[in-house]
Amino acid sequence: MRITALAGGVGGARFLRGLRAHLDRTPTLSNATVTVIGNTGDDINLFGLRVCPDLDTVMYTLGGAVHEDQGWGRADETHAVQGELAAYGAQPQWFGLGDLDLGTHIARSQWLGQGLSLSEVTARLCARWGLPDRGIRLLPMTDSPVETHVVIDGDGDAPARAIHFQEWWVRMRAGVPARNFIAVGMDRAAAAPGVLEAIREADVILLPPSNPVVSIGIILGVPGVRDALRGSPAPVVGVSPLIAGAPVRGHADACLTAIGLESTAQAVAGLYADFLDGWLIDDADAPALGFAPRLEVQTRPLWMRDVEPAADIAGEAVNLAVKLRRHRPGANPLAGE
Ligand code: FO1
């Protein structure tokens, strides 16, 4: 089975870890492969280095190296370099870069500087963490530089201004209302090699509980991605990133408000309405009212406290997709079906 998933940061990475665990524990699925199309809109240049938070969060989480409580960055991290940068007054100081994590950014920046593409660099970094051996391929959504910027009101009568997503997300903790999100560079971006094929050739497509606006929403803005999802014979099953209308982590509610939507599982499903076939919501968000009639909605607990519950959620998403496949014209039979 070929599974393709569009993923952002922490929620997406935890779901994917559960998915791999579910596949490994299910004999008929253990040789399934997973292609992750990762969001690069969070990427930022810091201290001369290219930092790719969502790609690294997926890589570290699936590679067993993530700082479990934070959900991002490395376990057993130290911050000696950051302390030195602060002592020199190097800016910014609001984005924590640990010593181990800096190793990733230095290697990435060196290879990018030597002319390798972000896809090639990401493949090299992931090889170190053993992702290919586990049937996992992480593709950046595009090899072109794209950065999400957030439009916020100016102070007093100052005009509105755009700041980097990370400054809004980390320094401001999304505490200032976002007026709009702009994927700077998207107009010159092309899908990275293998991205559109991974969507067209998938047996199952999954949308983990990532931020629908600034993670999955940004990936959907890459030319050709949305059309490929609409045209793919594979069923698309998503997992709501909200429980009782609130994000499990992060600020998806503030992001939905910014684009004029309520913070509900229905509103998120509406963002994917033109290609979504199945949708998992938490019991707290039932009754499943207000969803498109053709959408297959299932309710279950969506808390991913650790790998087991995440594996159960991922398993239910895969099972729903396999069920939906049977009713899809043109879906080729699954191996062993
Ligand atoms: N999030 C924070 O809230 N504070 C930080 O200092 C911070 C540093 C950081 C460094 C590397 C990295 O890969 C992620 C980091 N994050 C931090 C998380 C990051 O802002 C978010 O995970 C994503 O960009 C949103 O999904």
Side-chain angles (χ1 to χ4, degrees):
M1 179 186 281
R2 293 159 300 184
I3 300 174
T4 295
L6 279 59
V10 180
R14 288 191 163 159
F15 172 87
L16 292 167
R17 183 170 61 182
L19 172 64
R20 190 64 255 176
H22 171 73
L23 299 173
D24 294 344
R25 72 184 183 188
T26 309
T28 54
L29 295 175
S30 56
N31 59 6
T33 59
V34 180
T35 299
V36 183
I37 299 171
N39 172 41
T40 61
D42 291 7
D43 295 3
I44 183 170
N45 289 320
L46 288 171
F47 310 110
L49 301 172
R50 189 68 175 164
V51 177
C52 301
D54 279 357
L55 297 182
D56 292 346
T57 297
V58 169
M59 178 174 75
Y60 290 155
T61 303
L62 291 172
V66 75
H67 186 296
E68 197 58 39
D69 292 346
Q70 281 177 178
W72 49 265
R74 289 283 296 275
D76 309 322
E77 185 59 282
T78 53
H79 291 87
V81 173
Q82 182 161 348
E84 286 300 290
L85 292 170
Y88 284 117
Q91 293 301 326
Q93 284 302 312
W94 44 263
F95 195 80
L97 286 173
D99 300 323
L100 300 177
D101 194 31
L102 279 165
T104 302
H105 311 317
I106 294 167
R108 174 186 294 118
S109 303
Q110 179 193 47
W111 293 333
L112 288 173
Q114 290 167 348
L116 273 72
S117 67
L118 183 58
S119 292
E120 290 165 332
V121 169
T122 304
R124 278 194 184 184
L125 296 172
C126 288
R128 179 256 173 111
W129 295 107
L131 268 58
D133 304 337
R134 300 183 56 215
I136 302 166
R137 193 170 50 137
L138 173 58
L139 304 177
M141 65 187 197
T142 175
D143 281 338
S144 320
V146 170
E147 292 186 359
T148 302
H149 284 221
V150 184
V151 179
I152 60 172
D153 291 338
D155 304 327
D157 54 7
R161 62 195 178 98
I163 58 174
H164 191 285
F165 168 79
Q166 292 297 350
E167 182 171 3
W168 182 69
W169 188 267
V170 175
R171 191 170 71 81
M172 300 181 165
R173 302 228 174 284
V176 170
R179 296 294 173 231
N180 191 9
F181 298 101
I182 303 167
V184 176
M186 190 64 90
D187 52 332
R188 295 183 303 280
V195 163
L196 298 182
E197 295 80 353
I199 295 171
R200 293 187 191 120
E201 294 163 12
D203 296 309
V204 163
I205 298 171
L206 300 177
L207 299 184
S210 289
N211 187 307
V213 180
V214 294
S215 293
I216 293 182
I218 297 297
I219 301 171
L220 293 176
V222 173
V225 167
R226 198 162 200 131
D227 288 344
L229 286 165
R230 285 192 191 120
S232 176
V236 181
V237 173
V239 179
S240 171
L242 304 172
I243 293 180
V248 173
R249 316 167 49 92
H251 317 290
D253 45 354
C255 296
L256 288 163
T257 302
I259 62 171
L261 291 181
E262 292 178 322
S263 183
T264 65
Q266 289 86 338
V268 176
L271 285 174
Y272 308 144
D274 51 329
F275 58 80
L276 192 67
D277 301 299
W279 189 234
L280 265 58
I281 65 172
D282 189 86
D283 305 305
D285 294 296
L289 298 177
F291 290 100
R294 73 172 192 86
L295 185 65
E296 185 80 22
V297 181
Q298 286 186 359
T299 66
R300 59 154 295 125
L302 290 185
W303 285 98
M304 299 188 287
R305 279 182 189 75
D306 61 28
V307 180
E308 277 316 297
D312 295 342
I313 295 166
E316 187 144 345
V318 170
N319 293 342
L320 176 55
V322 169
K323 184 180 106 179
L324 291 171
R325 268 182 71 80
R326 293 200 185 93
H327 312 307
R328 287 181 72 85
N332 43 12
L334 278 176
E337 193 171 31

PDB file of all heavy atoms in Angstrom, residues 109-140:
ATOM      1  N   SER A 109      22.346  24.035   5.577  1.00  0.00           N
ATOM      2  CA  SER A 109      22.766  25.307   4.950  1.00  0.00           C
ATOM      3  C   SER A 109      24.020  25.106   4.111  1.00  0.00           C
ATOM      4  O   SER A 109      24.158  25.684   3.031  1.00  0.00           O
ATOM      5  CB  SER A 109      22.995  26.369   6.036  1.00  0.00           C
ATOM      6  OG  SER A 109      21.801  26.507   6.801  1.00  0.00           O
ATOM      7  N   GLN A 110      24.920  24.245   4.590  1.00  0.00           N
ATOM      8  CA  GLN A 110      26.135  23.975   3.794  1.00  0.00           C
ATOM      9  C   GLN A 110      25.749  23.338   2.464  1.00  0.00           C
ATOM     10  O   GLN A 110      26.183  23.748   1.396  1.00  0.00           O
ATOM     11  CB  GLN A 110      27.066  23.039   4.559  1.00  0.00           C
ATOM     12  CG  GLN A 110      28.339  22.723   3.752  1.00  0.00           C
ATOM     13  CD  GLN A 110      29.153  21.571   4.327  1.00  0.00           C
ATOM     14  OE1 GLN A 110      28.591  20.528   4.660  1.00  0.00           O
ATOM     15  NE2 GLN A 110      30.455  21.785   4.450  1.00  0.00           N
ATOM     16  N   TRP A 111      24.891  22.312   2.510  1.00  0.00           N
ATOM     17  CA  TRP A 111      24.540  21.589   1.281  1.00  0.00           C
ATOM     18  C   TRP A 111      23.723  22.455   0.336  1.00  0.00           C
ATOM     19  O   TRP A 111      23.908  22.431  -0.866  1.00  0.00           O
ATOM     20  CB  TRP A 111      23.794  20.321   1.645  1.00  0.00           C
ATOM     21  CG  TRP A 111      24.683  19.333   2.358  1.00  0.00           C
ATOM     22  CD1 TRP A 111      26.042  19.216   2.251  1.00  0.00           C
ATOM     23  CD2 TRP A 111      24.276  18.351   3.314  1.00  0.00           C
ATOM     24  NE1 TRP A 111      26.508  18.230   3.082  1.00  0.00           N
ATOM     25  CE2 TRP A 111      25.457  17.671   3.738  1.00  0.00           C
ATOM     26  CE3 TRP A 111      23.046  17.951   3.857  1.00  0.00           C
ATOM     27  CZ2 TRP A 111      25.427  16.620   4.663  1.00  0.00           C
ATOM     28  CZ3 TRP A 111      23.020  16.911   4.783  1.00  0.00           C
ATOM     29  CH2 TRP A 111      24.195  16.255   5.170  1.00  0.00           C
ATOM     30  N   LEU A 112      22.821  23.266   0.897  1.00  0.00           N
ATOM     31  CA  LEU A 112      22.070  24.196   0.025  1.00  0.00           C
ATOM     32  C   LEU A 112      23.058  25.153  -0.646  1.00  0.00           C
ATOM     33  O   LEU A 112      22.971  25.447  -1.838  1.00  0.00           O
ATOM     34  CB  LEU A 112      21.036  24.979   0.840  1.00  0.00           C
ATOM     35  CG  LEU A 112      19.800  24.218   1.338  1.00  0.00           C
ATOM     36  CD1 LEU A 112      18.974  25.094   2.278  1.00  0.00           C
ATOM     37  CD2 LEU A 112      18.944  23.721   0.178  1.00  0.00           C
ATOM     38  N   GLY A 113      24.040  25.607   0.141  1.00  0.00           N
ATOM     39  CA  GLY A 113      25.031  26.537  -0.405  1.00  0.00           C
ATOM     40  C   GLY A 113      25.876  25.890  -1.497  1.00  0.00           C
ATOM     41  O   GLY A 113      26.397  26.568  -2.384  1.00  0.00           O
ATOM     42  N   GLN A 114      25.994  24.567  -1.449  1.00  0.00           N
ATOM     43  CA  GLN A 114      26.770  23.858  -2.484  1.00  0.00           C
ATOM     44  C   GLN A 114      25.904  23.551  -3.711  1.00  0.00           C
ATOM     45  O   GLN A 114      26.364  22.938  -4.654  1.00  0.00           O
ATOM     46  CB  GLN A 114      27.336  22.555  -1.897  1.00  0.00           C
ATOM     47  CG  GLN A 114      28.440  22.792  -0.856  1.00  0.00           C
ATOM     48  CD  GLN A 114      28.774  21.526  -0.062  1.00  0.00           C
ATOM     49  OE1 GLN A 114      28.040  20.533  -0.122  1.00  0.00           O
ATOM     50  NE2 GLN A 114      29.870  21.571   0.682  1.00  0.00           N
ATOM     51  N   GLY A 115      24.616  23.954  -3.638  1.00  0.00           N
ATOM     52  CA  GLY A 115      23.772  23.799  -4.828  1.00  0.00           C
ATOM     53  C   GLY A 115      22.825  22.618  -4.784  1.00  0.00           C
ATOM     54  O   GLY A 115      22.065  22.402  -5.723  1.00  0.00           O
ATOM     55  N   LEU A 116      22.831  21.866  -3.676  1.00  0.00           N
ATOM     56  CA  LEU A 116      21.847  20.777  -3.588  1.00  0.00           C
ATOM     57  C   LEU A 116      20.457  21.381  -3.398  1.00  0.00           C
ATOM     58  O   LEU A 116      20.321  22.469  -2.829  1.00  0.00           O
ATOM     59  CB  LEU A 116      22.168  19.864  -2.394  1.00  0.00           C
ATOM     60  CG  LEU A 116      23.170  18.715  -2.647  1.00  0.00           C
ATOM     61  CD1 LEU A 116      24.577  19.271  -2.797  1.00  0.00           C
ATOM     62  CD2 LEU A 116      23.104  17.696  -1.528  1.00  0.00           C
ATOM     63  N   SER A 117      19.442  20.682  -3.854  1.00  0.00           N
ATOM     64  CA  SER A 117      18.063  21.165  -3.673  1.00  0.00           C
ATOM     65  C   SER A 117      17.606  20.827  -2.250  1.00  0.00           C
ATOM     66  O   SER A 117      18.193  19.971  -1.571  1.00  0.00           O
ATOM     67  CB  SER A 117      17.133  20.451  -4.659  1.00  0.00           C
ATOM     68  OG  SER A 117      17.051  19.063  -4.320  1.00  0.00           O
ATOM     69  N   LEU A 118      16.542  21.474  -1.814  1.00  0.00           N
ATOM     70  CA  LEU A 118      16.009  21.174  -0.479  1.00  0.00           C
ATOM     71  C   LEU A 118      15.575  19.710  -0.407  1.00  0.00           C
ATOM     72  O   LEU A 118      15.744  19.052   0.624  1.00  0.00           O
ATOM     73  CB  LEU A 118      14.839  22.105  -0.146  1.00  0.00           C
ATOM     74  CG  LEU A 118      14.240  21.945   1.259  1.00  0.00           C
ATOM     75  CD1 LEU A 118      15.291  22.155   2.349  1.00  0.00           C
ATOM     76  CD2 LEU A 118      13.063  22.911   1.451  1.00  0.00           C
ATOM     77  N   SER A 119      15.065  19.187  -1.532  1.00  0.00           N
ATOM     78  CA  SER A 119      14.680  17.758  -1.555  1.00  0.00           C
ATOM     79  C   SER A 119      15.893  16.867  -1.314  1.00  0.00           C
ATOM     80  O   SER A 119      15.843  15.928  -0.520  1.00  0.00           O
ATOM     81  CB  SER A 119      14.073  17.408  -2.919  1.00  0.00           C
ATOM     82  OG  SER A 119      12.840  18.050  -3.098  1.00  0.00           O
ATOM     83  N   GLU A 120      17.004  17.189  -2.000  1.00  0.00           N
ATOM     84  CA  GLU A 120      18.222  16.369  -1.849  1.00  0.00           C
ATOM     85  C   GLU A 120      18.757  16.487  -0.429  1.00  0.00           C
ATOM     86  O   GLU A 120      19.149  15.497   0.198  1.00  0.00           O
ATOM     87  CB  GLU A 120      19.278  16.820  -2.872  1.00  0.00           C
ATOM     88  CG  GLU A 120      18.924  16.479  -4.316  1.00  0.00           C
ATOM     89  CD  GLU A 120      19.762  17.237  -5.343  1.00  0.00           C
ATOM     90  OE1 GLU A 120      20.228  18.365  -5.058  1.00  0.00           O
ATOM     91  OE2 GLU A 120      19.946  16.696  -6.456  1.00  0.00           O
ATOM     92  N   VAL A 121      18.751  17.695   0.090  1.00  0.00           N
ATOM     93  CA  VAL A 121      19.235  17.909   1.460  1.00  0.00           C
ATOM     94  C   VAL A 121      18.363  17.154   2.455  1.00  0.00           C
ATOM     95  O   VAL A 121      18.861  16.460   3.350  1.00  0.00           O
ATOM     96  CB  VAL A 121      19.240  19.418   1.789  1.00  0.00           C
ATOM     97  CG1 VAL A 121      19.484  19.651   3.264  1.00  0.00           C
ATOM     98  CG2 VAL A 121      20.283  20.143   0.944  1.00  0.00           C
ATOM     99  N   THR A 122      17.048  17.243   2.276  1.00  0.00           N
ATOM    100  CA  THR A 122      16.119  16.573   3.203  1.00  0.00           C
ATOM    101  C   THR A 122      16.317  15.062   3.158  1.00  0.00           C
ATOM    102  O   THR A 122      16.322  14.392   4.201  1.00  0.00           O
ATOM    103  CB  THR A 122      14.672  16.952   2.846  1.00  0.00           C
ATOM    104  OG1 THR A 122      14.547  18.391   2.859  1.00  0.00           O
ATOM    105  CG2 THR A 122      13.672  16.346   3.827  1.00  0.00           C
ATOM    106  N   ALA A 123      16.563  14.523   1.972  1.00  0.00           N
ATOM    107  CA  ALA A 123      16.802  13.072   1.855  1.00  0.00           C
ATOM    108  C   ALA A 123      18.075  12.686   2.607  1.00  0.00           C
ATOM    109  O   ALA A 123      18.116  11.674   3.323  1.00  0.00           O
ATOM    110  CB  ALA A 123      16.917  12.685   0.383  1.00  0.00           C
ATOM    111  N   ARG A 124      19.129  13.520   2.505  1.00  0.00           N
ATOM    112  CA  ARG A 124      20.376  13.211   3.226  1.00  0.00           C
ATOM    113  C   ARG A 124      20.155  13.252   4.735  1.00  0.00           C
ATOM    114  O   ARG A 124      20.593  12.360   5.473  1.00  0.00           O
ATOM    115  CB  ARG A 124      21.443  14.253   2.883  1.00  0.00           C
ATOM    116  CG  ARG A 124      22.167  14.016   1.589  1.00  0.00           C
ATOM    117  CD  ARG A 124      23.420  14.899   1.523  1.00  0.00           C
ATOM    118  NE  ARG A 124      24.087  14.756   0.232  1.00  0.00           N
ATOM    119  CZ  ARG A 124      25.256  15.365  -0.060  1.00  0.00           C
ATOM    120  NH1 ARG A 124      25.831  16.139   0.846  1.00  0.00           N
ATOM    121  NH2 ARG A 124      25.817  15.205  -1.239  1.00  0.00           N
ATOM    122  N   LEU A 125      19.458  14.295   5.191  1.00  0.00           N
ATOM    123  CA  LEU A 125      19.230  14.418   6.639  1.00  0.00           C
ATOM    124  C   LEU A 125      18.395  13.241   7.146  1.00  0.00           C
ATOM    125  O   LEU A 125      18.694  12.644   8.177  1.00  0.00           O
ATOM    126  CB  LEU A 125      18.528  15.744   6.934  1.00  0.00           C
ATOM    127  CG  LEU A 125      19.310  17.030   6.613  1.00  0.00           C
ATOM    128  CD1 LEU A 125      18.402  18.254   6.769  1.00  0.00           C
ATOM    129  CD2 LEU A 125      20.545  17.177   7.499  1.00  0.00           C
ATOM    130  N   CYS A 126      17.351  12.877   6.383  1.00  0.00           N
ATOM    131  CA  CYS A 126      16.463  11.792   6.822  1.00  0.00           C
ATOM    132  C   CYS A 126      17.164  10.439   6.813  1.00  0.00           C
ATOM    133  O   CYS A 126      16.851   9.571   7.647  1.00  0.00           O
ATOM    134  CB  CYS A 126      15.219  11.730   5.931  1.00  0.00           C
ATOM    135  SG  CYS A 126      14.063  13.093   6.213  1.00  0.00           S
ATOM    136  N   ALA A 127      18.141  10.273   5.902  1.00  0.00           N
ATOM    137  CA  ALA A 127      18.876   8.991   5.857  1.00  0.00           C
ATOM    138  C   ALA A 127      19.581   8.753   7.183  1.00  0.00           C
ATOM    139  O   ALA A 127      19.597   7.642   7.714  1.00  0.00           O
ATOM    140  CB  ALA A 127      19.864   9.011   4.706  1.00  0.00           C
ATOM    141  N   ARG A 128      20.137   9.815   7.767  1.00  0.00           N
ATOM    142  CA  ARG A 128      20.819   9.672   9.049  1.00  0.00           C
ATOM    143  C   ARG A 128      19.872   9.158  10.133  1.00  0.00           C
ATOM    144  O   ARG A 128      20.279   8.438  11.038  1.00  0.00           O
ATOM    145  CB  ARG A 128      21.434  11.021   9.463  1.00  0.00           C
ATOM    146  CG  ARG A 128      22.160  10.986  10.837  1.00  0.00           C
ATOM    147  CD  ARG A 128      21.326  11.657  11.919  1.00  0.00           C
ATOM    148  NE  ARG A 128      21.879  11.505  13.268  1.00  0.00           N
ATOM    149  CZ  ARG A 128      22.390  12.512  13.976  1.00  0.00           C
ATOM    150  NH1 ARG A 128      22.437  13.714  13.434  1.00  0.00           N
ATOM    151  NH2 ARG A 128      22.850  12.304  15.191  1.00  0.00           N
ATOM    152  N   TRP A 129      18.608   9.535  10.028  1.00  0.00           N
ATOM    153  CA  TRP A 129      17.624   9.125  11.037  1.00  0.00           C
ATOM    154  C   TRP A 129      16.907   7.835  10.657  1.00  0.00           C
ATOM    155  O   TRP A 129      15.928   7.441  11.288  1.00  0.00           O
ATOM    156  CB  TRP A 129      16.632  10.270  11.292  1.00  0.00           C
ATOM    157  CG  TRP A 129      17.298  11.466  11.914  1.00  0.00           C
ATOM    158  CD1 TRP A 129      17.583  12.654  11.312  1.00  0.00           C
ATOM    159  CD2 TRP A 129      17.822  11.554  13.251  1.00  0.00           C
ATOM    160  NE1 TRP A 129      18.246  13.491  12.185  1.00  0.00           N
ATOM    161  CE2 TRP A 129      18.410  12.838  13.375  1.00  0.00           C
ATOM    162  CE3 TRP A 129      17.854  10.682  14.336  1.00  0.00           C
ATOM    163  CZ2 TRP A 129      19.015  13.258  14.564  1.00  0.00           C
ATOM    164  CZ3 TRP A 129      18.460  11.107  15.513  1.00  0.00           C
ATOM    165  CH2 TRP A 129      19.036  12.382  15.619  1.00  0.00           C
ATOM    166  N   GLY A 130      17.335   7.183   9.576  1.00  0.00           N
ATOM    167  CA  GLY A 130      16.814   5.860   9.239  1.00  0.00           C
ATOM    168  C   GLY A 130      15.416   5.844   8.671  1.00  0.00           C
ATOM    169  O   GLY A 130      14.759   4.806   8.607  1.00  0.00           O
ATOM    170  N   LEU A 131      14.926   6.991   8.199  1.00  0.00           N
ATOM    171  CA  LEU A 131      13.553   7.024   7.689  1.00  0.00           C
ATOM    172  C   LEU A 131      13.365   6.142   6.452  1.00  0.00           C
ATOM    173  O   LEU A 131      12.382   5.403   6.377  1.00  0.00           O
ATOM    174  CB  LEU A 131      13.109   8.479   7.406  1.00  0.00           C
ATOM    175  CG  LEU A 131      12.412   9.182   8.573  1.00  0.00           C
ATOM    176  CD1 LEU A 131      13.259   9.247   9.819  1.00  0.00           C
ATOM    177  CD2 LEU A 131      11.945  10.587   8.176  1.00  0.00           C
ATOM    178  N   PRO A 132      14.310   6.144   5.482  1.00  0.00           N
ATOM    179  CA  PRO A 132      14.086   5.287   4.303  1.00  0.00           C
ATOM    180  C   PRO A 132      13.950   3.803   4.685  1.00  0.00           C
ATOM    181  O   PRO A 132      13.138   3.081   4.124  1.00  0.00           O
ATOM    182  CB  PRO A 132      15.324   5.545   3.435  1.00  0.00           C
ATOM    183  CG  PRO A 132      15.861   6.856   3.893  1.00  0.00           C
ATOM    184  CD  PRO A 132      15.522   6.965   5.356  1.00  0.00           C
ATOM    185  N   ASP A 133      14.744   3.383   5.685  1.00  0.00           N
ATOM    186  CA  ASP A 133      14.689   1.952   6.086  1.00  0.00           C
ATOM    187  C   ASP A 133      13.321   1.600   6.660  1.00  0.00           C
ATOM    188  O   ASP A 133      12.957   0.435   6.746  1.00  0.00           O
ATOM    189  CB  ASP A 133      15.752   1.657   7.163  1.00  0.00           C
ATOM    190  CG  ASP A 133      17.147   2.035   6.677  1.00  0.00           C
ATOM    191  OD1 ASP A 133      17.330   2.079   5.428  1.00  0.00           O
ATOM    192  OD2 ASP A 133      18.007   2.318   7.516  1.00  0.00           O
ATOM    193  N   ARG A 134      12.574   2.644   7.089  1.00  0.00           N
ATOM    194  CA  ARG A 134      11.263   2.364   7.674  1.00  0.00           C
ATOM    195  C   ARG A 134      10.149   2.664   6.679  1.00  0.00           C
ATOM    196  O   ARG A 134       8.983   2.824   7.062  1.00  0.00           O
ATOM    197  CB  ARG A 134      11.102   3.181   8.962  1.00  0.00           C
ATOM    198  CG  ARG A 134      12.203   2.823   9.991  1.00  0.00           C
ATOM    199  CD  ARG A 134      12.036   3.561  11.286  1.00  0.00           C
ATOM    200  NE  ARG A 134      10.709   3.302  11.839  1.00  0.00           N
ATOM    201  CZ  ARG A 134      10.032   4.253  12.510  1.00  0.00           C
ATOM    202  NH1 ARG A 134      10.542   5.455  12.641  1.00  0.00           N
ATOM    203  NH2 ARG A 134       8.855   3.953  12.997  1.00  0.00           N
ATOM    204  N   GLY A 135      10.544   2.795   5.395  1.00  0.00           N
ATOM    205  CA  GLY A 135       9.534   3.013   4.348  1.00  0.00           C
ATOM    206  C   GLY A 135       8.913   4.381   4.405  1.00  0.00           C
ATOM    207  O   GLY A 135       7.743   4.575   4.035  1.00  0.00           O
ATOM    208  N   ILE A 136       9.707   5.358   4.901  1.00  0.00           N
ATOM    209  CA  ILE A 136       9.172   6.726   5.009  1.00  0.00           C
ATOM    210  C   ILE A 136      10.021   7.664   4.143  1.00  0.00           C
ATOM    211  O   ILE A 136      11.250   7.672   4.237  1.00  0.00           O
ATOM    212  CB  ILE A 136       9.217   7.223   6.472  1.00  0.00           C
ATOM    213  CG1 ILE A 136       8.419   6.285   7.385  1.00  0.00           C
ATOM    214  CG2 ILE A 136       8.670   8.651   6.563  1.00  0.00           C
ATOM    215  CD1 ILE A 136       8.692   6.502   8.869  1.00  0.00           C
ATOM    216  N   ARG A 137       9.347   8.434   3.307  1.00  0.00           N
ATOM    217  CA  ARG A 137      10.024   9.420   2.456  1.00  0.00           C
ATOM    218  C   ARG A 137       9.449  10.793   2.818  1.00  0.00           C
ATOM    219  O   ARG A 137       8.215  10.939   2.856  1.00  0.00           O
ATOM    220  CB  ARG A 137       9.721   9.090   0.988  1.00  0.00           C
ATOM    221  CG  ARG A 137      10.556   9.777  -0.031  1.00  0.00           C
ATOM    222  CD  ARG A 137      10.316   9.173  -1.420  1.00  0.00           C
ATOM    223  NE  ARG A 137       8.907   9.052  -1.785  1.00  0.00           N
ATOM    224  CZ  ARG A 137       8.423   9.362  -2.999  1.00  0.00           C
ATOM    225  NH1 ARG A 137       9.229   9.831  -3.935  1.00  0.00           N
ATOM    226  NH2 ARG A 137       7.143   9.216  -3.288  1.00  0.00           N
ATOM    227  N   LEU A 138      10.309  11.745   3.151  1.00  0.00           N
ATOM    228  CA  LEU A 138       9.842  13.104   3.490  1.00  0.00           C
ATOM    229  C   LEU A 138      10.243  14.039   2.341  1.00  0.00           C
ATOM    230  O   LEU A 138      11.429  14.188   2.047  1.00  0.00           O
ATOM    231  CB  LEU A 138      10.476  13.565   4.807  1.00  0.00           C
ATOM    232  CG  LEU A 138      10.225  15.016   5.231  1.00  0.00           C
ATOM    233  CD1 LEU A 138       8.735  15.327   5.355  1.00  0.00           C
ATOM    234  CD2 LEU A 138      10.961  15.316   6.550  1.00  0.00           C
ATOM    235  N   LEU A 139       9.224  14.602   1.695  1.00  0.00           N
ATOM    236  CA  LEU A 139       9.464  15.526   0.582  1.00  0.00           C
ATOM    237  C   LEU A 139       9.062  16.931   1.008  1.00  0.00           C
ATOM    238  O   LEU A 139       7.953  17.108   1.532  1.00  0.00           O
ATOM    239  CB  LEU A 139       8.620  15.131  -0.636  1.00  0.00           C
ATOM    240  CG  LEU A 139       8.755  13.713  -1.189  1.00  0.00           C
ATOM    241  CD1 LEU A 139       7.771  13.520  -2.346  1.00  0.00           C
ATOM    242  CD2 LEU A 139      10.173  13.407  -1.621  1.00  0.00           C
ATOM    243  N   PRO A 140       9.914  17.927   0.787  1.00  0.00           N
ATOM    244  CA  PRO A 140       9.432  19.296   0.982  1.00  0.00           C
ATOM    245  C   PRO A 140       8.342  19.574  -0.049  1.00  0.00           C
ATOM    246  O   PRO A 140       8.396  19.008  -1.162  1.00  0.00           O
ATOM    247  CB  PRO A 140      10.662  20.164   0.743  1.00  0.00           C
ATOM    248  CG  PRO A 140      11.609  19.324  -0.030  1.00  0.00           C
ATOM    249  CD  PRO A 140      11.292  17.893   0.272  1.00  0.00           C
TER     250      PRO A 140
END
